[in-house]
PDB file of all heavy atoms in Angstrom:
ATOM      1  N   LYS L 734      71.947  41.222  56.696  1.00  0.00           N
ATOM      2  CA  LYS L 734      71.971  42.626  56.404  1.00  0.00           C
ATOM      3  C   LYS L 734      72.379  43.442  57.628  1.00  0.00           C
ATOM      4  O   LYS L 734      73.142  44.393  57.564  1.00  0.00           O
ATOM      5  CB  LYS L 734      70.596  43.135  55.922  1.00  0.00           C
ATOM      6  CG  LYS L 734      70.354  43.027  54.470  1.00  0.00           C
ATOM      7  CD  LYS L 734      69.093  43.785  54.179  1.00  0.00           C
ATOM      8  CE  LYS L 734      68.790  43.971  52.723  1.00  0.00           C
ATOM      9  NZ  LYS L 734      67.502  44.596  52.501  1.00  0.00           N
ATOM     10  N   LEU L 735      71.799  43.073  58.743  1.00  0.00           N
ATOM     11  CA  LEU L 735      72.050  43.812  59.969  1.00  0.00           C
ATOM     12  C   LEU L 735      73.515  43.703  60.326  1.00  0.00           C
ATOM     13  O   LEU L 735      74.187  44.670  60.706  1.00  0.00           O
ATOM     14  CB  LEU L 735      71.177  43.142  61.101  1.00  0.00           C
ATOM     15  CG  LEU L 735      71.000  43.987  62.331  1.00  0.00           C
ATOM     16  CD1 LEU L 735      70.186  45.219  62.047  1.00  0.00           C
ATOM     17  CD2 LEU L 735      70.268  43.107  63.377  1.00  0.00           C
ATOM     18  N   GLY L 736      74.076  42.496  60.241  1.00  0.00           N
ATOM     19  CA  GLY L 736      75.476  42.298  60.553  1.00  0.00           C
ATOM     20  C   GLY L 736      76.392  43.145  59.622  1.00  0.00           C
ATOM     21  O   GLY L 736      77.330  43.792  60.090  1.00  0.00           O
ATOM     22  N   LYS L 737      76.014  43.218  58.365  1.00  0.00           N
ATOM     23  CA  LYS L 737      76.770  43.978  57.398  1.00  0.00           C
ATOM     24  C   LYS L 737      76.722  45.483  57.759  1.00  0.00           C
ATOM     25  O   LYS L 737      77.774  46.170  57.770  1.00  0.00           O
ATOM     26  CB  LYS L 737      76.163  43.745  56.019  1.00  0.00           C
ATOM     27  CG  LYS L 737      77.163  43.963  54.892  1.00  0.00           C
ATOM     28  CD  LYS L 737      76.467  43.595  53.552  1.00  0.00           C
ATOM     29  CE  LYS L 737      76.773  44.642  52.487  1.00  0.00           C
ATOM     30  NZ  LYS L 737      75.823  44.620  51.393  1.00  0.00           N
ATOM     31  N   MET L 738      75.485  45.936  58.045  1.00  0.00           N
ATOM     32  CA  MET L 738      75.297  47.360  58.380  1.00  0.00           C
ATOM     33  C   MET L 738      76.121  47.686  59.647  1.00  0.00           C
ATOM     34  O   MET L 738      76.767  48.685  59.716  1.00  0.00           O
ATOM     35  CB  MET L 738      73.840  47.613  58.659  1.00  0.00           C
ATOM     36  CG  MET L 738      72.949  47.774  57.524  1.00  0.00           C
ATOM     37  SD  MET L 738      73.144  49.369  56.749  1.00  0.00           S
ATOM     38  CE  MET L 738      71.997  50.310  57.650  1.00  0.00           C
ATOM     39  N   TYR L 739      76.103  46.737  60.580  1.00  0.00           N
ATOM     40  CA  TYR L 739      76.764  46.944  61.855  1.00  0.00           C
ATOM     41  C   TYR L 739      78.290  47.128  61.624  1.00  0.00           C
ATOM     42  O   TYR L 739      78.951  48.099  62.073  1.00  0.00           O
ATOM     43  CB  TYR L 739      76.539  45.852  62.809  1.00  0.00           C
ATOM     44  CG  TYR L 739      77.282  45.928  64.119  1.00  0.00           C
ATOM     45  CD1 TYR L 739      76.788  46.785  65.112  1.00  0.00           C
ATOM     46  CD2 TYR L 739      78.409  45.227  64.346  1.00  0.00           C
ATOM     47  CE1 TYR L 739      77.460  46.900  66.296  1.00  0.00           C
ATOM     48  CE2 TYR L 739      79.086  45.354  65.578  1.00  0.00           C
ATOM     49  CZ  TYR L 739      78.609  46.231  66.539  1.00  0.00           C
ATOM     50  OH  TYR L 739      79.309  46.355  67.672  1.00  0.00           O
ATOM     51  N   MET L 740      78.862  46.215  60.815  1.00  0.00           N
ATOM     52  CA  MET L 740      80.277  46.275  60.570  1.00  0.00           C
ATOM     53  C   MET L 740      80.653  47.556  59.891  1.00  0.00           C
ATOM     54  O   MET L 740      81.626  48.253  60.202  1.00  0.00           O
ATOM     55  CB  MET L 740      80.704  45.096  59.702  1.00  0.00           C
ATOM     56  CG  MET L 740      80.598  43.729  60.293  1.00  0.00           C
ATOM     57  SD  MET L 740      81.330  43.629  61.921  1.00  0.00           S
ATOM     58  CE  MET L 740      83.049  43.692  61.450  1.00  0.00           C
ATOM     59  N   MET L 741      79.791  47.913  58.908  1.00  0.00           N
ATOM     60  CA  MET L 741      80.096  49.130  58.146  1.00  0.00           C
ATOM     61  C   MET L 741      80.016  50.379  59.028  1.00  0.00           C
ATOM     62  O   MET L 741      80.927  51.218  59.014  1.00  0.00           O
ATOM     63  CB  MET L 741      78.999  49.179  57.041  1.00  0.00           C
ATOM     64  CG  MET L 741      79.492  49.760  55.777  1.00  0.00           C
ATOM     65  SD  MET L 741      78.177  49.387  54.567  1.00  0.00           S
ATOM     66  CE  MET L 741      77.919  50.991  53.926  1.00  0.00           C
ATOM     67  N   PHE L 742      78.948  50.459  59.837  1.00  0.00           N
ATOM     68  CA  PHE L 742      78.766  51.633  60.593  1.00  0.00           C
ATOM     69  C   PHE L 742      79.852  51.777  61.679  1.00  0.00           C
ATOM     70  O   PHE L 742      80.442  52.858  61.826  1.00  0.00           O
ATOM     71  CB  PHE L 742      77.350  51.572  61.262  1.00  0.00           C
ATOM     72  CG  PHE L 742      76.853  52.905  61.779  1.00  0.00           C
ATOM     73  CD1 PHE L 742      76.272  53.791  60.931  1.00  0.00           C
ATOM     74  CD2 PHE L 742      76.971  53.208  63.138  1.00  0.00           C
ATOM     75  CE1 PHE L 742      75.816  55.029  61.384  1.00  0.00           C
ATOM     76  CE2 PHE L 742      76.547  54.419  63.579  1.00  0.00           C
ATOM     77  CZ  PHE L 742      75.953  55.340  62.713  1.00  0.00           C
ATOM     78  N   THR L 743      80.109  50.712  62.399  1.00  0.00           N
ATOM     79  CA  THR L 743      81.164  50.811  63.433  1.00  0.00           C
ATOM     80  C   THR L 743      82.474  51.052  62.843  1.00  0.00           C
ATOM     81  O   THR L 743      83.320  51.752  63.392  1.00  0.00           O
ATOM     82  CB  THR L 743      81.196  49.541  64.360  1.00  0.00           C
ATOM     83  OG1 THR L 743      81.236  48.432  63.438  1.00  0.00           O
ATOM     84  CG2 THR L 743      79.939  49.461  65.187  1.00  0.00           C
ATOM     85  N   GLY L 744      82.702  50.461  61.665  1.00  0.00           N
ATOM     86  CA  GLY L 744      84.004  50.689  60.984  1.00  0.00           C
ATOM     87  C   GLY L 744      84.205  52.160  60.648  1.00  0.00           C
ATOM     88  O   GLY L 744      85.277  52.744  60.895  1.00  0.00           O
ATOM     89  N   GLU L 745      83.143  52.744  60.085  1.00  0.00           N
ATOM     90  CA  GLU L 745      83.239  54.148  59.811  1.00  0.00           C
ATOM     91  C   GLU L 745      83.459  55.031  61.032  1.00  0.00           C
ATOM     92  O   GLU L 745      84.246  55.982  61.021  1.00  0.00           O
ATOM     93  CB  GLU L 745      81.954  54.601  59.084  1.00  0.00           C
ATOM     94  CG  GLU L 745      81.686  53.922  57.765  1.00  0.00           C
ATOM     95  CD  GLU L 745      82.306  54.766  56.583  1.00  0.00           C
ATOM     96  OE1 GLU L 745      82.762  55.868  56.864  1.00  0.00           O
ATOM     97  OE2 GLU L 745      82.328  54.220  55.443  1.00  0.00           O
ATOM     98  N   LEU L 746      82.739  54.634  62.106  1.00  0.00           N
ATOM     99  CA  LEU L 746      82.909  55.384  63.381  1.00  0.00           C
ATOM    100  C   LEU L 746      84.332  55.327  63.864  1.00  0.00           C
ATOM    101  O   LEU L 746      84.920  56.299  64.345  1.00  0.00           O
ATOM    102  CB  LEU L 746      81.948  54.890  64.430  1.00  0.00           C
ATOM    103  CG  LEU L 746      80.475  55.306  64.373  1.00  0.00           C
ATOM    104  CD1 LEU L 746      79.707  54.681  65.501  1.00  0.00           C
ATOM    105  CD2 LEU L 746      80.367  56.807  64.472  1.00  0.00           C
ATOM    106  N   ARG L 747      84.926  54.119  63.672  1.00  0.00           N
ATOM    107  CA  ARG L 747      86.321  53.961  64.177  1.00  0.00           C
ATOM    108  C   ARG L 747      87.261  54.881  63.400  1.00  0.00           C
ATOM    109  O   ARG L 747      88.199  55.388  64.003  1.00  0.00           O
ATOM    110  CB  ARG L 747      86.715  52.468  64.034  1.00  0.00           C
ATOM    111  CG  ARG L 747      87.929  52.113  64.847  1.00  0.00           C
ATOM    112  CD  ARG L 747      88.175  50.605  64.876  1.00  0.00           C
ATOM    113  NE  ARG L 747      87.066  49.907  65.493  1.00  0.00           N
ATOM    114  CZ  ARG L 747      86.432  48.917  64.915  1.00  0.00           C
ATOM    115  NH1 ARG L 747      86.772  48.480  63.699  1.00  0.00           N
ATOM    116  NH2 ARG L 747      85.462  48.306  65.537  1.00  0.00           N
ATOM    117  N   GLN L 748      86.956  55.039  62.151  1.00  0.00           N
ATOM    118  CA  GLN L 748      87.831  55.932  61.384  1.00  0.00           C
ATOM    119  C   GLN L 748      87.773  57.342  61.892  1.00  0.00           C
ATOM    120  O   GLN L 748      88.700  58.102  61.735  1.00  0.00           O
ATOM    121  CB  GLN L 748      87.418  55.855  59.891  1.00  0.00           C
ATOM    122  CG  GLN L 748      87.904  54.598  59.236  1.00  0.00           C
ATOM    123  CD  GLN L 748      87.663  54.626  57.764  1.00  0.00           C
ATOM    124  OE1 GLN L 748      87.057  55.522  57.261  1.00  0.00           O
ATOM    125  NE2 GLN L 748      88.134  53.590  57.058  1.00  0.00           N
ATOM    126  N   LEU L 749      86.590  57.706  62.461  1.00  0.00           N
ATOM    127  CA  LEU L 749      86.503  59.034  63.018  1.00  0.00           C
ATOM    128  C   LEU L 749      87.050  59.054  64.466  1.00  0.00           C
ATOM    129  O   LEU L 749      87.016  60.106  65.110  1.00  0.00           O
ATOM    130  CB  LEU L 749      85.026  59.440  63.118  1.00  0.00           C
ATOM    131  CG  LEU L 749      84.346  59.694  61.772  1.00  0.00           C
ATOM    132  CD1 LEU L 749      82.902  60.078  62.060  1.00  0.00           C
ATOM    133  CD2 LEU L 749      84.984  60.801  61.038  1.00  0.00           C
ATOM    134  N   GLY L 750      87.586  57.898  64.898  1.00  0.00           N
ATOM    135  CA  GLY L 750      88.127  57.898  66.248  1.00  0.00           C
ATOM    136  C   GLY L 750      87.112  57.608  67.294  1.00  0.00           C
ATOM    137  O   GLY L 750      87.327  57.920  68.471  1.00  0.00           O
ATOM    138  N   ILE L 751      85.963  57.096  66.924  1.00  0.00           N
ATOM    139  CA  ILE L 751      84.930  56.751  67.891  1.00  0.00           C
ATOM    140  C   ILE L 751      84.839  55.261  68.013  1.00  0.00           C
ATOM    141  O   ILE L 751      84.595  54.558  67.023  1.00  0.00           O
ATOM    142  CB  ILE L 751      83.557  57.322  67.472  1.00  0.00           C
ATOM    143  CG1 ILE L 751      83.659  58.823  67.353  1.00  0.00           C
ATOM    144  CG2 ILE L 751      82.521  56.968  68.487  1.00  0.00           C
ATOM    145  CD1 ILE L 751      82.502  59.480  66.695  1.00  0.00           C
ATOM    146  N   GLU L 752      85.103  54.764  69.220  1.00  0.00           N
ATOM    147  CA  GLU L 752      85.054  53.300  69.418  1.00  0.00           C
ATOM    148  C   GLU L 752      83.664  52.848  69.906  1.00  0.00           C
ATOM    149  O   GLU L 752      83.022  53.600  70.630  1.00  0.00           O
ATOM    150  CB  GLU L 752      86.105  52.897  70.481  1.00  0.00           C
ATOM    151  CG  GLU L 752      87.587  52.947  69.978  1.00  0.00           C
ATOM    152  CD  GLU L 752      87.850  51.898  68.909  1.00  0.00           C
ATOM    153  OE1 GLU L 752      87.235  50.794  68.959  1.00  0.00           O
ATOM    154  OE2 GLU L 752      88.676  52.229  68.009  1.00  0.00           O
ATOM    155  N   CYS L 753      83.282  51.645  69.524  1.00  0.00           N
ATOM    156  CA  CYS L 753      82.050  51.149  69.965  1.00  0.00           C
ATOM    157  C   CYS L 753      82.247  49.852  70.836  1.00  0.00           C
ATOM    158  O   CYS L 753      83.230  49.197  70.590  1.00  0.00           O
ATOM    159  CB  CYS L 753      81.115  50.735  68.784  1.00  0.00           C
ATOM    160  SG  CYS L 753      80.579  52.140  67.820  1.00  0.00           S
ATOM    161  N   VAL L 754      81.335  49.643  71.725  1.00  0.00           N
ATOM    162  CA  VAL L 754      81.350  48.348  72.418  1.00  0.00           C
ATOM    163  C   VAL L 754      81.024  47.284  71.433  1.00  0.00           C
ATOM    164  O   VAL L 754      80.082  47.471  70.647  1.00  0.00           O
ATOM    165  CB  VAL L 754      80.383  48.378  73.607  1.00  0.00           C
ATOM    166  CG1 VAL L 754      80.313  47.024  74.300  1.00  0.00           C
ATOM    167  CG2 VAL L 754      80.759  49.445  74.610  1.00  0.00           C
TER     168      VAL L 754
END
Side-chain angles (χ1 to χ4, degrees):
Chain L
K734 269 190 172 176
L735 198 65
K737 204 175 137 202
M738 283 281 274
Y739 177 80
M740 294 310 289
M741 217 166 126
F742 197 82
T743 50
E745 296 269 352
L746 281 180
R747 197 169 298 126
Q748 283 188 357
L749 292 178
I751 300 168
E752 287 292 328
C753 293
V754 174

